[in-house]
Each structure stands twice: as C-alpha cells, then as structure tokens.
Amino acid sequence: MDDSLLFNNFAKHISLTKAEEKYLKTLFEYKVFKSKEFLIQQGEISKQSAFVLNGCLRGYTIDSNGFEHVLSFAPKDWWIADMYSLLSQKPGNLNIEAMVDTEVALISKTNQDKMYEKVPKLERFFRIIIEKSLVAYQQRLNDNLSLTAQERYMKFCKTYPQLINDIPQKQIAAYIGVTPEFLSKLRAKQARTK
Amino acid sequence: MDDSLLFNNFAKHISLTKAEEKYLKTLFEYKVFKSKEFLIQQGEISKQSAFVLNGCLRGYTIDSNGFEHVLSFAPKDWWIADMYSLLSQKPGNLNIEAMVDTEVALISKTNQDKMYEKVPKLERFFRIIIEKSLVAYQQRLNDNLSLTAQERYMKFCKTYPQLINDIPQKQIAAYIGVTPEFLSKLRAKQARTK
DNA sequence: ATCATTTCTTAATCTAGGTTAAGTATTTTC
DNA sequence: GAAAATACTTAACCTAGATTAAGAAATGAT
C-alpha cells in the first residue's frame, strides 16, 4: 500500500532519516475498511490511532435519545483516534466508521509509546498535531456558543469545500448540531435568496 | 513567590533533575494580576502561556452581538493560553482576565521553544497536558451537541464543585451556553423539585 | 431494470431557551 | 456605611430550531 502520504505528513513538522522511516514503517499496520465498517465502536477500549491514506472516516457519538453527533470527519491526510479511550484505557463513547472504502495506516498505543522512546522527535510531531487539533476544537466550541445554525453551516462550507459534495447532508447536520430537516430548510432559504 | 505548585505540576508527568528545575526557573516570569486585569485581550498577538499559582483566570470571547462566551476557567494548578494566537502568531480573539487577584507563572513562546531544545522531556510533558486538554474540549463539544442546558449545568456542578460558589453565576451561564436569566430559571426549578 | 432502503424536502405544529423589562439582592467603592 | 454598580430573580412574550409526518428523489442491492 502506498504510504507516501503518511511520510509527507510527518515531513510537514519534522525531518526523518531513511533509517527512521524504515523503522517507523514496521510500527504501522495497513488496512482497508469497507464502507460502513467500524474501526472502533463505543464501549470498546481503543488500542490504536489511525491515519487516513485514502477515503474518509467519521468519528461520532450516539446520545441517550439515539441521535448521532459527528465530532470529526477524517478525509485523506488526517489523523483520528478516540483520544479519551486511548489515553485512559477505559471504554470510549466514540464510533469511528468508514464513510466509503478507506485505506488507513494504524499504529497501536504500544507501538506509539515505543516510537516515542526510539525517535523522540516524534514526540514533537504529535505535540504539534495535537496542538492544532486543540485549536480547531476550541474554535468549533466557540462557534457553537456564538453562531447561529446558518452561520455554522456557511462556515462548514468554507472550511470543508471538498467534503460538501461528497458526504450526506444529514452528516453535516450532525456535525454543525442541527436536525437534517432544519438544515434542509436553511439550504432552501439560502437558495431562494441567492 | 512560591512556585512549588508549578514543579509539582511538572512532576505529575515527568521527573526533573535539580539542575533542570533551576534552569527552568530562569525561563518563567512571576506576576500578580489584580482582579479584572487582563493577561491578554482579543486582537493582540499572544506571546506567552500562563500557569496559575493562586487565584483564578477566565478565557472568553466576545461575539458580534457583544455577548461573552467562556472557553475556560483556570483555577490554581491550571495552564491557560490563547493557543491559536500563540501558535499562529496572528491576532487572537481570546480575552484572558483575572477573576480575583491572581498569581501566575508566565513563560514566553521564545523561552518555551528554548526549553524544548534544552530539556526535551518537556516536549512530552506538554504533549500530555495538551492531549488532556483536547479530550476535555472534545467532551465539552459533545455535551453541547447532545445535552440540554439543565444537564450541562448539572455536569458543570459535578465537574467543578469548587468553582460553583466562587464564581458569579453569569459566568457559569456563559460557560454552559445559556443566558443568565435562563440559568436562573433552571436553578429555581431545580430548587423547587428538590 | 426493479425493488428496497436511505436521503432529502416541505409543511404544520411545538418547545427549549432567548428577549425585554422591572424589581430585588449583593458587592464595590469612596 | 451610603451610594453606585453589579449580580440575580421573576414573569410575560417571542423565536430559532425541534418534532412529526408524509411524499419525492436518489442510491444500492439483486
């Protein structure tokens, strides 16, 4: 499987020697998930982080009324994990599911810890990745506190132009925090006034 | 100023030699902020991270209608920064303000970068701190997507029992995402049914 | 190609939470 | 310790977004 995307991703923040790359390759497992297959499901203890080589994943929770809430989409070149479960080694409440057939590079928690010992600069790499992720979640929380549904939808369209046409509208609704019916209404209104 | 809390905080995830501690002390600046004084204000480019030795800070944004939204409270033993502005070195939209007279240890971005070079295990320390913070924001976003205002308030009370009586109720409202009037209504209803 | 399933739309009705406004504590300041 | 400022409460009314329901469009499976 072609993992050049993974190593280009590393190269964005640190530079690895050929030897380090070779060592790293041994720590990852490459796998294809069919559309609608789960990488993990709520209630399980998460054992690995995933990097998307191709396709798209989504991380979502299901609340006590059975409604889904999308915490993140992971198109190609993105990292995704149930950080809560992975760190605490307690059962998580995140489902990570393939939205289409998806190629991923997986690294187990054990191997990730080994990796930090052997190649400490990866500690920096993941610090930076996580910092960026933190900023994005802070921003999104702030948007949920301060913007209307309409504004959140417009922002989503601007931020993820490539996803808009590729993923079902109800998933976007579950991401911005409205019902599919209301998003449909918003879009109809937007189309009318354009 | 007594900075033992800071070094106990480091000790939760890494162990430092006496020499390292001594070096680190030179990188921090100790400062007292009077109640209502700002560490940073929106529009400024953030230059430092803060650790609270005593007192309490709050990080909040002001939206286009003039409403405040609290992104985080930082009581003693907490780290706080405008991560977006600090990382991007662009003007931020976070205000960090002292809620009472507050002692903080400040480290500049420059010194933090130096620190990573000189004592690489701090890279690990901050990776872990940021991982935990990420998990907390994810959880909170999920709560905002899936819980009612009443449930979010009850969860806040359970999570921050020490803050409940120390901070104004309108700040809690601005944290859980409702108006002060509505929170007051919730509390009245809760008191009635108890 | 056809049937079944899923997704999207529209519309009527409902409700959690917002707005406005006025009054009552509680702090802060001098 | 009085006046001013801020925080909290209550209540009437309002609205963004939810719910319910039913039909239309698109997708998928055989």
Side-chain angles (χ1 to χ4, degrees):
Chain A
M1 199 166 301
D2 178 19
D3 59 4
S4 56
L5 199 64
L6 175 60
F7 290 94
N8 286 337
N9 192 269
F10 285 131
K12 285 179 188 173
H13 301 298
I14 55 170
S15 50
L16 294 167
T17 66
K18 282 288 157 208
E20 286 164 345
E21 279 202 15
K22 203 170 158 191
Y23 166 69
L24 267 184
K25 272 183 212 280
T26 69
L27 298 181
F28 282 90
E29 179 191 356
Y30 299 92
K31 219 164 158 183
V32 177
F33 289 86
K34 290 254 158 221
S35 182
K36 294 187 183 163
E37 245 188 289
F38 288 96
L39 306 228
I40 52 163
Q41 264 180 292
Q42 54 185 259
E44 296 172 5
I45 294 176
S46 192
K47 299 289 183 204
Q48 47 200 5
S49 305
F51 176 82
V52 178
L53 295 167
N54 220 318
C56 192
L57 304 176
R58 65 188 250 265
Y60 66 97
T61 60
I62 300 177
D63 71 26
S64 56
N65 300 310
F67 290 104
E68 294 184 0
H69 305 282
V70 174
L71 286 188
S72 66
F73 292 112
K76 72 153 84 161
D77 208 24
W78 283 58
W79 292 90
I80 189 171
D82 181 345
M83 289 287 286
Y84 166 73
S85 176
L86 198 63
L87 294 179
S88 66
Q89 286 298 294
K90 292 184 197 155
N93 61 341
L94 199 67
N95 300 283
I96 299 181
E97 188 186 323
M99 301 182 73
V100 294
D101 294 0
T102 301
E103 292 176 20
V104 300
L106 297 170
I107 182 164
S108 69
K109 188 177 161 52
T110 329
N111 279 353
Q112 194 156 4
D113 289 341
K114 263 190 220 163
M115 171 189 82
Y116 287 142
E117 299 304 330
K118 264 259 178 89
V119 190
K121 63 185 144 186
L122 282 159
E123 197 99 54
R124 164 163 309 183
F125 176 80
F126 283 100
R127 174 179 58 77
I128 294 172
I129 290 288
I130 292 164
E131 277 173 355
K132 285 177 182 243
S133 180
L134 176 60
V135 167
Y137 274 102
Q138 258 177 12
Q139 181 59 58
R140 192 166 154 210
L141 175 65
N142 190 53
D143 289 347
N144 275 283
L145 292 172
S146 57
L147 302 181
T148 63
Q150 164 114 259
E151 292 167 322
R152 274 177 275 140
Y153 177 62
M154 284 177 357
K155 197 156 181 181
F156 182 89
C157 292
K158 226 178 266 177
T159 314
Y160 301 98
Q162 75 289 11
L163 286 181
I164 286 297
N165 299 310
D166 284 6
I167 70 185
Q169 213 165 287
K170 59 180 284 202
Q171 308 291 3
I172 299 175
Y175 181 98
I176 64 176
V178 295
T179 58
E181 292 84 354
F182 189 69
L183 178 55
S184 187
K185 197 152 113 184
L186 282 184
R187 284 165 45 87
K189 188 162 58 173
Q190 233 166 25
R192 238 178 294 123
T193 57
K194 227 186 274 171
Chain B
M1 199 168 300
D2 178 19
D3 59 5
S4 57
L5 199 65
L6 175 60
F7 290 95
N8 286 338
N9 192 268
F10 285 131
K12 286 181 188 172
H13 302 297
I14 55 171
S15 49
L16 294 167
T17 65
K18 282 288 159 209
E20 285 165 344
E21 280 202 15
K22 205 169 155 193
Y23 167 68
L24 267 183
K25 273 184 211 280
T26 69
L27 299 181
F28 282 89
E29 178 192 356
Y30 300 92
K31 219 165 159 182
V32 177
F33 289 86
K34 290 255 157 219
S35 182
K36 297 192 182 160
E37 245 187 290
F38 288 97
L39 306 230
I40 52 162
Q41 264 181 293
Q42 56 186 259
E44 295 172 7
I45 294 176
S46 191
K47 300 289 182 205
Q48 47 200 6
S49 305
F51 176 82
V52 178
L53 294 167
N54 220 319
C56 191
L57 304 176
R58 65 188 251 265
Y60 67 96
T61 60
I62 300 177
D63 70 24
S64 55
N65 301 310
F67 290 106
E68 293 184 2
H69 305 283
V70 174
L71 286 188
S72 66
F73 292 112
K76 72 152 84 160
D77 208 24
W78 282 57
W79 292 89
I80 189 170
D82 181 345
M83 289 287 285
Y84 166 73
S85 175
L86 199 63
L87 295 179
S88 66
Q89 286 298 294
K90 292 183 198 159
N93 61 341
L94 200 67
N95 300 282
I96 300 182
E97 189 186 322
M99 301 182 74
V100 294
D101 294 358
T102 301
E103 291 176 20
V104 299
L106 297 170
I107 182 165
S108 69
K109 189 178 160 52
T110 329
N111 279 353
Q112 193 156 5
D113 289 340
K114 264 190 219 161
M115 171 190 82
Y116 288 141
E117 298 305 330
K118 264 260 180 90
V119 191
K121 64 185 142 184
L122 282 160
E123 197 100 53
R124 164 163 308 184
F125 176 79
F126 282 100
R127 173 178 59 78
I128 293 171
I129 290 288
I130 292 166
E131 276 173 355
K132 288 181 179 237
S133 180
L134 176 61
V135 167
Y137 274 102
Q138 258 176 12
Q139 182 59 58
R140 190 164 154 212
L141 176 65
N142 190 53
D143 289 348
N144 274 282
L145 291 172
S146 57
L147 302 180
T148 63
Q150 164 114 259
E151 292 167 323
R152 273 176 276 140
Y153 177 62
M154 285 173 3
K155 196 156 182 182
F156 183 89
C157 294
K158 224 178 269 175
T159 314
Y160 301 97
Q162 73 289 15
L163 287 182
I164 286 297
N165 299 311
D166 284 5
I167 71 184
Q169 210 166 288
K170 60 180 284 203
Q171 308 292 2
I172 300 175
Y175 181 97
I176 64 176
V178 294
T179 57
E181 292 86 353
F182 189 68
L183 178 55
S184 186
K185 198 152 112 185
L186 282 183
R187 283 166 46 88
K189 188 162 60 175
Q190 233 168 25
R192 235 176 296 124
T193 57
K194 226 185 276 166

